[in-house]
Amino acid sequence: MDANTVFKGLEGVIVSETKVGFVDGEAGRLVYRGFNIEELVQHSSYEEVSFLLINGHLPTASELKSYRDVIMKSSSLPSEVIDLIWAHSNKYPTSLLRTAVSLLGANDTRADHITDSDQKEIGVELVGKVPALVSSIRRAAEGGKYVKPSPDLSLAGNMLYQSTGKKPDKSSERIMDVCLMLHADHGSNASTFSSLVTISSLSDIYSALTSAIGTLKGPLHGGANEMALKLIMEVGKPENVEEVIGGKLEKKEKIMGFGHRVYKVYDPRARILKGFAREVTARNGKGQLFDTAQKIEDVMISKLGTKGIFPNVDFYSGMVYDSLGFHPDMFTSLFAASRTSGWVARSLEYVSDNKLFRPRSSYVGERGPLAYIPIEKRN
Ligand code: SDX
């Protein structure tokens, strides 16, 4: 390796040290501040997990109460953002979410000359605000009126309540809470990295999250969950899988919801989501959807398992979100609602021992120097 070696996509390059979370791609292990994700899903809640990621320890009862109070207060949206969402209710949800976060920043004078304490204060507010934005975007798209959060519901419960105007049943609230915990943080993924690049210039955390949402939107990253469910629906039934998936692979098309830059084994989040997907599709009479997904998994692992291609978080999440009444074009915004905790935690951590990101690129163009050619002499 010499000074001009290019690491395309920064593959394998370590850009920072972190204590927030760890992804063990060989063992298929996901850790938040030392806790295995399975342990947290079994015993914790998204509010607790969000506090853990940002503050580095599980909250005491009083810490959790004050944290929840801030989140609850923040999840009531300002009128200018409500007006924006309802005026643009037909826009693509992730684009509208990106715009709404940006408007929040434009309207917050703290963001203009940001201090370290403001960054954290705004970051925790956004943990409550972004899910409320996502729910309101769904509510507006479905023709409903704005719903204020209910103080007797969890953040997960309010996501469903502010989306539909109806208080959710316990099982739906639990499923929403688990989805939020599973998507909260995941190492130096593309959207987290873009938030670090933004905050490393000492810009404000609204800008960092606007960058992150824009990055998450791409189909190779957070946009895959929406496309994975559309693919499963397009295949339709197990007997179609060999032909459809085989055909796509022959054309070297990427199958959404499979493969990962770090996991070369089954994504532990996909394992948990698969269990919920099996349960909710059976309950909702959509068993064939799950059977088709299972068959796609079998075919993909048989063909590409030896290359380390397995289901990732995005393959089964769509069926679960669909069971909660979310339209597929809402799925990436749901991902953003949860990943706000990871983006905030890692942005605050990075900027506390900051170094502006400024990588190099290897110039392979014309060395010159070339003489200028007047326009009349150019052909
Ligand atoms: C997320 O980084 C994170 O942590 C992200 C995330 C998070 O929580 O933040 O986990 C969330 O973004 C999950 C990934 C969601 N994206 C998708 O499901 C889109 C489909 N997946 C692929 O685009 C791909 O797997 C990536 C982008 C996710 C990772 O690809 P890499 O590491 O850049 O690897 P690669 O594209 O160079 O592929 C290596 C080989 C290639 O074959 P060869 O050229 O060597 O013959 O594997 C093949 C690829 O063609 N391959 C696939 C495939 N993924 C990789 N072939 C078919 N279908 C796929 N999905």
Side-chain angles (χ1 to χ4, degrees):
M1 174 182 71
D2 63 39
N4 286 320
T5 302
V6 174
F7 294 91
K8 207 158 172 55
L10 290 179
E11 183 159 13
V13 173
I14 296 173
V15 293
S16 67
E17 288 188 335
T18 179
K19 294 178 181 166
V20 174
F22 169 55
V23 180
D24 183 336
E26 302 307 322
R29 190 175 164 228
L30 173 57
V31 173
Y32 292 170
R33 297 278 185 185
F35 295 92
N36 279 344
I37 189 64
E38 294 83 357
E39 181 83 356
L40 293 168
V41 162
Q42 194 180 348
H43 300 293
S44 191
S45 68
Y46 177 66
E47 286 98 334
E48 261 204 352
V49 162
S50 170
F51 180 100
L52 169 70
L53 289 168
I54 292 173
N55 295 287
H57 64 274
L58 284 172
T60 59
S62 66
E63 283 174 326
L64 184 59
K65 184 180 175 324
S66 345
Y67 190 73
R68 267 188 52 80
D69 290 348
V70 172
I71 285 177
M72 269 309 301
K73 192 161 154 275
S74 313
S75 56
S76 281
L77 298 177
S79 57
E80 68 273 14
V81 169
I82 294 169
D83 296 345
L84 171 85
I85 290 172
W86 263 263
H88 299 277
S89 58
N90 64 337
K91 298 294 186 308
Y92 183 66
T94 315
S95 305
L96 187 50
L97 177 65
R98 184 192 59 215
T99 307
V101 170
S102 188
L103 178 62
L104 284 172
N107 287 342
D108 187 336
T109 50
R110 291 174 297 176
D112 303 339
H113 309 289
I114 197 90
T115 64
D116 289 351
S117 58
D118 285 345
Q119 296 276 38
K120 177 162 187 182
E121 192 177 48
I122 296 169
V124 173
E125 289 167 8
L126 286 168
V127 169
K129 274 202 171 26
V130 176
L133 291 173
V134 173
S135 309
S136 297
I137 287 169
R138 171 181 166 184
R139 181 76 175 152
E142 293 175 358
K145 290 200 177 331
Y146 172 65
V147 176
K148 278 179 155 311
S150 163
D152 59 5
L153 286 175
S154 66
L155 187 148
N158 267 315
M159 279 206 76
L160 298 173
Y161 176 54
Q162 290 186 277
S163 295
T164 62
K166 292 192 210 70
K167 300 256 174 111
D169 59 70
K170 282 291 163 213
S171 155
S172 302
E173 184 173 7
R174 164 71 179 156
I175 290 172
M176 187 73 247
D177 198 44
V178 170
C179 289
L180 289 165
M181 284 192 269
L182 288 173
H183 287 82
D185 182 63
H186 208 251
S188 220
N189 59 84
S191 54
T192 297
F193 179 60
S194 66
S195 68
L196 296 190
V197 171
T198 303
I199 204 123
S200 79
S201 72
L202 302 185
S203 183
D204 63 282
I205 199 147
Y206 289 107
S207 301
L209 263 65
T210 305
S211 305
I213 294 167
T215 307
L216 187 74
K217 181 170 176 284
L220 293 188
H221 187 16
N225 51 17
E226 172 184 340
M227 298 174 72
L229 182 64
K230 286 178 180 169
L231 169 69
I232 297 164
M233 290 173 159
E234 175 203 324
V235 173
K237 49 190 178 190
E239 42 272 43
N240 296 341
V241 168
E242 286 283 1
E243 187 194 343
V244 175
I245 299 300
K248 288 177 182 288
L249 291 176
E250 242 143 65
K251 287 183 281 183
K252 294 296 265 178
E253 282 181 35
K254 297 272 175 67
I255 307 301
M256 295 294 121
F258 285 87
H260 201 275
R261 174 64 56 81
V262 180
Y263 289 126
K264 299 310 171 192
V265 291
Y266 214 107
D267 184 330
R269 301 166 296 177
R271 224 181 270 291
I272 296 170
L273 286 163
K274 181 177 179 179
F276 281 108
R278 180 187 285 111
E279 181 194 316
V280 295
T281 48
R283 195 168 61 211
N284 303 343
K286 295 188 175 179
Q288 179 162 273
L289 199 64
F290 181 84
D291 296 344
T292 305
Q294 177 66 64
K295 182 71 177 160
I296 293 172
E297 174 184 327
D298 297 342
V299 168
M300 281 296 288
I301 293 178
S302 69
K303 291 178 183 292
L304 292 172
T306 49
K307 287 176 99 170
I309 308 290
F310 289 88
N312 61 47
V313 67
D314 291 319
F315 188 58
Y316 288 104
S317 56
M319 274 179 267
V320 181
Y321 290 147
D322 172 68
S323 77
L324 297 173
F326 288 98
H327 184 278
D329 66 13
M330 285 298 309
F331 293 177
T332 306
S333 296
L334 283 166
F335 196 146
S338 164
R339 189 53 59 87
T340 295
S341 292
W343 292 332
V344 169
R346 288 175 182 267
S347 295
L348 295 176
E349 178 188 57
Y350 187 82
V351 81
S352 70
D353 180 18
N354 192 45
K355 175 89 175 163
L356 176 69
F357 277 101
R358 202 301 186 191
R360 293 171 50 218
S361 46
S362 171
Y363 179 66
V364 292
E366 176 56 63
R367 279 284 166 186
L370 300 176
Y372 182 76
I373 305 162
I375 193 157
E376 60 278 5
K377 294 209 171 107
R378 294 173 208 159
N379 49 25

